[in-house]
Amino acid sequence: MEETISLRDLFAVLRKRLWLIVLITIIAAIVSGVISFFVLTPVYQSKTQILVNQAKNDQQLYNTQTVQTNVQLINTYNDIITSPAILDKVVKELKMDKSAQSLSGQIQVTSAQDSQVAQIVVQDTSAKRAAEIANTTASVFQKQVPKLMNVDNVKVLSKATVGESASPIKPQPLSNIAIAVVVGLIVGIGLSFLLEYLDNTLKTEQDIENILGLPVIGVVTNIKEVPKPTNVSRPDVAARVPQRGETYGS
C-alpha cells in the first residue's frame, strides 16, 4: 500500500512539536548572542590608498600604454607589500611583538580592475593599531619601491584615520543572531519530522485505521483510577463481650 502525506499531516506534525522547534530556535539565538557579545573579540578595519603612476618628463607622454603598465605593476606590488622585505621594517618601526608572517595575515591588498589605485586593508583588534599598521605599511612601501624596482611611481592618496566612534567589522551580533534563528528553525523542523518518522507507536484510533485499513468497531477506555472496596463498621452494632454472670441477649 502506497503511503501519501498531505499538507494537513505536515502541519499537524509541526503543530505537535511546535514546542521543540521554538525551544531549539531560542537556544540557538541565545548561544549565538552570548558568543557574539562576550566570547568573540571585536575586530576593526582600517585602510589606506596608494596610487601607482609613472613619473612623467618632457619626452614621455601620458598614454594608454603607460596606464596599462601601471595597472600590471599593481599585481607585482600587491605581493611586495605583504612580503618580509616590507613587513619586517613595519614590525621594527612599530615595535610589534610579532613576525612578518603573522602580520601578513592581517593585511590585504586590493585594487579595482584596470585601476591604478590600490588599497591596503588592515584588520586588528585595536582600531588605532590597525590605522598605524596601514599607514606605516604604505609609508615603508613607498620608500622601498625605488630600491626594489628602480622606479619611483608610488604615492599615498589617503591615510588611514581613526574615528571617534569606530565600530568593529566583526563580529556582527545582530546578523549572527538572525542566522542562528534561521538555523535553529531548520534544525527544529528537521528534528521534528525525524522524530515523527521514527515514532511507530499507535496512539489514536485514526492511526489504526490508517495502518490496517480497517474500521475501528470498539474502543477500550483507559481507567485511570479503580475505586477500592471499603468495609465500614457501625459502632452501635458491634459485638459486645458479656460480663460475668451475664448471658447473651440479656
Side-chain angles (χ1 to χ4, degrees):
M1 187 188 329
E2 185 178 357
E3 184 179 357
T4 59
I5 300 177
S6 63
L7 288 177
R8 180 178 297 179
D9 296 333
L10 296 179
F11 283 114
V13 174
L14 296 178
R15 183 175 58 184
K16 176 183 176 181
R17 303 190 184 276
L18 181 61
W19 65 271
L20 180 62
I21 300 173
V22 174
L23 179 62
I24 293 177
T25 303
I26 293 176
I27 292 176
I30 292 175
V31 171
S32 176
V34 170
I35 293 176
S36 299
F37 283 106
F38 303 105
V39 177
L40 298 179
T41 303
V43 176
Y44 298 87
Q45 178 174 288
S46 188
K47 61 184 178 181
T48 182
Q49 291 181 323
I50 59 174
L51 172 66
V52 179
N53 187 20
Q54 293 284 357
K56 295 186 294 182
N57 50 39
D58 296 338
Q59 290 76 29
Q60 185 179 8
L61 297 177
Y62 192 77
N63 51 34
T64 305
Q65 184 177 0
T66 304
V67 174
Q68 188 63 31
T69 301
N70 294 332
V71 172
Q72 293 175 355
L73 280 174
I74 288 182
N75 296 327
T76 303
Y77 288 170
N78 291 349
D79 296 331
I80 295 177
I81 291 175
T82 56
S83 68
I86 302 299
L87 297 186
D88 280 339
K89 293 180 173 56
V90 174
V91 171
K92 183 177 180 180
E93 186 169 337
L94 294 178
K95 299 179 181 180
M96 303 176 66
D97 187 17
K98 61 174 59 181
S99 63
Q101 183 178 1
S102 176
L103 181 60
S104 176
Q106 301 179 231
I107 300 176
Q108 182 181 8
V109 183
T110 62
S111 59
Q113 186 177 5
D114 298 333
S115 174
Q116 296 178 249
V117 178
Q119 290 186 342
I120 302 177
V121 183
V122 180
Q123 294 183 359
D124 195 87
T125 55
S126 170
K128 180 180 179 181
R129 188 164 57 242
E132 291 177 348
I133 294 174
N135 292 329
T136 305
T137 302
S139 175
V140 171
F141 175 67
Q142 184 181 17
K143 295 176 182 177
Q144 294 299 318
V145 162
K147 300 178 182 179
L148 297 175
M149 300 289 295
N150 293 324
V151 290
D152 187 7
N153 61 346
V154 175
K155 296 181 180 179
V156 178
L157 283 182
S158 61
K159 293 185 177 182
T161 58
V162 182
E164 296 181 357
S165 58
S167 58
I169 60 169
K170 58 183 180 182
Q172 297 179 347
L174 296 181
S175 299
N176 293 343
I177 292 175
I179 294 174
V181 169
V182 175
V183 173
L185 287 173
I186 295 175
V187 173
I189 293 174
L191 184 59
S192 299
F193 284 116
L194 177 62
L195 293 177
E196 188 68 20
Y197 175 77
L198 297 177
D199 187 6
N200 56 3
T201 58
L202 301 177
K203 297 181 176 63
T204 63
E205 296 86 356
Q206 187 65 35
D207 295 339
I208 299 176
E209 293 182 356
N210 293 336
I211 294 177
L212 300 180
L214 299 175
V216 177
I217 59 176
V219 178
V220 178
T221 60
N222 183 19
I223 303 176
K224 298 182 179 180
E225 296 182 0
V226 179
K228 298 180 180 180
T230 55
N231 295 326
V232 180
S233 59
R234 297 176 58 185
D236 55 342
V237 297
R240 187 165 65 89
V241 179
Q243 303 296 327
R244 178 179 298 180
E246 186 178 20
T247 60
Y248 288 101
S250 59

